[in-house]
Amino acid sequence: MPIAYYITHPQVRIDANVPVPEWGLSDIGRARTSAMLDQPWVRSIRRIVSSSERKAIETAEILGRHLRLEVEVRERMHENDRSATGFLPPAEFEAVADQFFANPYSSIRGWERAIDAQHRILSELDTVLGTDDAADVAFVGHGGVGTLLLLSLGGREISREADQPAGGGNYFAYDIRARRVVHGWRPIDRLAQHRDD
């Protein structure tokens, strides 16, 4: 059964003076991505598709070098557009993110609406999988749109209940042919002790 893995970038170097899409991985983020390469599920990946944001590309390139695969970059796989506010301190960001998920049909402080971000990321997945469903594919992206994608694939309403664990660096698996979520978020860098469906 071909599987689509949605992988979120791990920890980044936060810099309030740099636009968020240009943030790169931190040393911890790079170490966690490297540790991911030892996980059994990685071996079957035959195609890597990445968001165009730097942190996602850096994650995808580490994976691509390991598997000797080129990374395909898709502009529309970016995180939900938060450019209206730019960098927000962590507590304020979490409060706005709560509103973003709780009000999917409204723009919160100028952010892209959750419903629009969900339609966009689902369209990207469908487009990529429409070209080839015979092999395992890794999509490398972000927690916000990844959560929206997971909810859509699982037939669930938009909410923050399926948000990835803090810090990023998680993945979920989707059976392409059966069109079902195999498991929810798991950390990229160690074997999960239980299924998180």
Side-chain angles (χ1 to χ4, degrees):
M1 65 178 182
I3 299 293
Y5 295 102
Y6 189 92
I7 302 167
T8 65
H9 65 80
Q11 287 84 346
V12 299
R13 288 189 310 276
I14 296 173
D15 185 341
N17 298 312
V18 174
V20 175
E22 296 175 23
W23 289 354
L25 294 177
S26 68
D27 290 343
I28 291 172
R30 286 186 174 282
R32 291 191 63 209
T33 303
S34 294
M36 172 183 72
L37 305 178
D38 295 329
Q39 303 307 314
W41 58 272
V42 167
R43 297 181 199 133
S44 65
I45 294 168
R46 295 295 175 265
R47 186 176 181 189
I48 302 171
V49 184
S50 175
S51 157
S52 62
E53 294 191 30
R54 181 176 169 194
K55 49 195 171 278
I57 289 176
E58 289 181 359
T59 304
E61 286 177 340
I62 292 170
L63 179 61
R65 280 193 297 274
H66 176 71
L67 296 173
R68 295 185 173 89
L69 296 172
E70 292 292 322
V71 174
E72 303 169 42
V73 176
R74 296 190 63 89
E75 297 287 335
R76 288 175 43 80
M77 276 182 54
H78 62 80
E79 181 61 290
N80 59 303
D81 186 348
R82 306 190 300 262
S83 57
T85 58
F87 172 80
L88 294 174
E92 185 178 1
F93 172 82
E94 292 300 328
V96 178
D98 285 343
Q99 294 176 48
F100 169 81
F101 281 99
N103 303 281
Y105 293 92
S106 300
S107 173
I108 308 302
R109 293 182 56 181
W111 283 17
E112 178 182 22
R113 298 185 316 162
I115 192 67
D116 295 330
Q118 185 180 61
H119 287 159
R120 174 173 51 78
I121 194 65
L122 186 59
S123 173
E124 289 298 288
L125 179 91
D126 287 342
T127 298
V128 170
L129 296 184
T131 62
D132 178 17
D133 69 351
D136 289 3
V137 182
F139 292 86
V140 184
H142 312 277
V145 291
T147 296
L148 293 170
L149 180 62
L150 177 59
L151 289 166
S152 179
L153 295 175
R156 298 156 70 188
E157 295 294 318
I158 293 177
S159 75
R160 206 168 183 188
E161 72 179 36
D163 202 1
Q164 71 166 340
N170 298 285
Y171 76 103
F172 69 80
Y174 175 70
D175 184 321
I176 299 168
R177 290 186 181 151
R179 295 189 166 275
R180 68 175 183 86
V181 174
V182 178
H183 65 73
W185 294 118
R186 293 180 179 177
I188 60 171
D189 51 344
R190 64 181 186 271
L191 293 171
Q193 299 301 310
H194 63 281
R195 290 174 69 115
D196 182 17
D197 303 323

